[in-house]
Amino acid sequence: MIIFLILIGIVALSTFLILRHPKFGKAPSGERLQRILKSPHYKNGKFDNLNPTPQLAEDTSMPEVLFRFLFGKKENLRPSQKLSFSKTNLKEITTDENVFIWMGHSSYFMQIDGKKILVDPVFSGNASPFSFTTKAFDGTDIYSVDDIPELDYLVITHDHWDHLDYETVKKLQPKVKKVITGLGTGEHLEFWNYDPEKIIELDWHEQSDLGNGYQVYCEPARHFSGRGLKRDQAIWASFVFETPNQRIYIGGDSGYDDHFKKIGEKYGSFDLAILENGQYNKDWRYIHMMPGENIKAMKDLNAKRMIPVHSSKFALATHEWNEPLEKITQFNTENQRIITPKIGEKADYLNDTKIYEQWWEKR
């Protein structure tokens, strides 16, 4: 019994010390917490989705999910050989180009009407608090902070480890003019020495005038948040980035729901929607879109074009690594304009004549 209690004590102390590492961020406090408490989306001590959203589907249980995840059949979770990509030199992109460069999973760089934007960058080689877990597929982690030019906007959609990477955003700090994120996430960034004056922190349905005809709007997503033991203390969000010439939808992580239709009706149409495509499972089908639902979301949004992300770099679910891109191509029976660049490839997303190689089929 004494040995058992000592072991329990060691585990508890180790957990306490680990959670004190700065990478876990900080819970909202002070004026930010007061603002959160006034949010209509913060209820019973946490942020909540617009519609009931169970973490697990009704026809399953946590023990079943854990058993299937740990011991179920899993094939081709990772590429069998190292992937090979060429990276675009972001510092050589001319100011008149409208481009999208995917960096794997949900990290991407955009230049939209002269504004340089980086979304959810994870360049540390893994998507978890521990470097030996959730490692990037060989050959996919080709960008580093050194490759990034000075940024007009760093966008963080929510605070999960595969979207908000401590090591990356700390190194990026000198290059970032402004951060755009959801309410609550700014606490992590301030804790990591970001200037609060540079943080634009929005609740759902709020907006910020960026000047010279540029606007950003924060809209709902159907997901959750959290980096430590307490979840849902910062809101998860999608964003609408509007310029004098374009309207772009940055989807973040989201299960399918009627918010896509409402956003489409609110804004009329989008020149481009970037939507999640991967890390799905029927057991958690409310918080990530299942295959084909992103195409429904694209239609709901009245988006002229879509780029699927959230795949091809980390194995966070049990599907084959290239299944998301195979499925979205298979389900695109109406020939919607779905753009599938390679990691590192410069995509002129407004050029609808460009045909993109189905590169995942050859791996």
Side-chain angles (χ1 to χ4, degrees), residues 271-327:
D271 295 283
L272 174 66
I274 301 126
L275 298 173
E276 72 153 60
N277 179 52
Q279 318 322 313
Y280 48 76
N281 189 301
K282 64 181 181 62
D283 291 332
W284 54 80
R285 57 182 176 267
Y286 294 107
I287 55 174
H288 285 296
M289 284 189 275
M290 296 296 289
E293 289 184 327
N294 41 21
I295 298 177
K296 287 174 62 179
M298 177 188 181
K299 293 179 181 178
D300 289 349
L301 291 165
N302 301 312
K304 299 174 185 175
R305 308 164 186 88
M306 186 246 281
I307 297 179
V309 297
H310 210 241
S311 70
S312 306
K313 188 171 183 178
F314 303 112
L316 301 175
T318 56
H319 57 66
E320 295 187 9
W321 77 270
N322 55 353
E323 180 183 291
L325 288 168
E326 289 182 344
K327 290 286 188 182

Side-chain angles (χ1 to χ4, degrees), residues 72-83:
K73 184 179 179 181
K74 291 179 284 189
E75 295 181 353
N76 204 26
L77 278 182
R78 304 174 66 89
S80 59
Q81 57 186 352
K82 182 177 180 179
L83 299 175

Side-chain angles (χ1 to χ4, degrees), residues 100-109 118-123 162-163 309-310 313-314:
F100 175 100
I101 292 92
W102 185 35
M103 298 164 170
H105 200 64
S106 287
S107 304
Y108 49 91
F109 173 90
L118 185 64
V119 178
D120 291 353
V122 178
F123 302 153
D162 58 322
H163 294 260
V309 297
H310 210 241
K313 188 171 183 178
F314 303 112

Side-chain angles (χ1 to χ4, degrees), residues 22-39:
K23 70 174 71 173
F24 285 89
K26 187 173 179 290
S29 60
E31 292 183 5
R32 178 176 286 105
L33 179 58
Q34 293 307 308
R35 184 181 166 198
I36 287 172
L37 293 173
K38 295 176 183 177
S39 169

